[in-house]
Amino acid sequence: MLNNIGLPGLLLIAVVVLVLFGRGKISSLMGEVGKGITAFKKGVKDGTEEIEEANAADAKDVTPESETTSNKDKV
């Protein structure tokens, strides 16, 4: 059923929604959606950075002991 809507049907639906809710209500709703998307992206970025920091803190130095002591002597 939804496959047969087409462009004229979408335009009619958009006009009906605009008449029912008004321009101000729709613009405020879209502003809230934009804020939600921005907050979601920020949360994902913060979570990724937190995971990377935790992995960096847990990282171990796997250099053999003989190489680390010989490198200290050279410095």
Side-chain angles (χ1 to χ4, degrees):
M1 178 177 170
L2 293 178
N3 296 339
N4 300 330
I5 291 179
L7 185 62
L10 290 176
L11 290 175
L12 180 63
I13 291 170
V15 168
V16 169
V17 167
L18 186 62
V19 168
L20 288 177
F21 294 107
R23 184 176 165 261
K25 186 73 170 181
I26 293 174
S27 66
S28 66
L29 178 66
M30 290 298 114
E32 292 298 321
V33 168
K35 288 178 186 177
I37 291 171
T38 303
F40 177 76
K41 286 182 179 180
K42 184 178 183 288
V44 168
K45 180 182 173 191
D46 290 346
T48 306
E49 289 175 356
E50 184 177 309
I51 290 171
E52 288 175 357
E53 288 175 3
N55 287 342
D58 292 341
K60 295 180 181 178
D61 184 14
V62 293
T63 308
E65 185 66 31
S66 60
E67 289 184 23
T68 57
T69 54
S70 63
N71 289 338
K72 290 179 183 177
D73 295 337
K74 291 179 182 178
V75 177

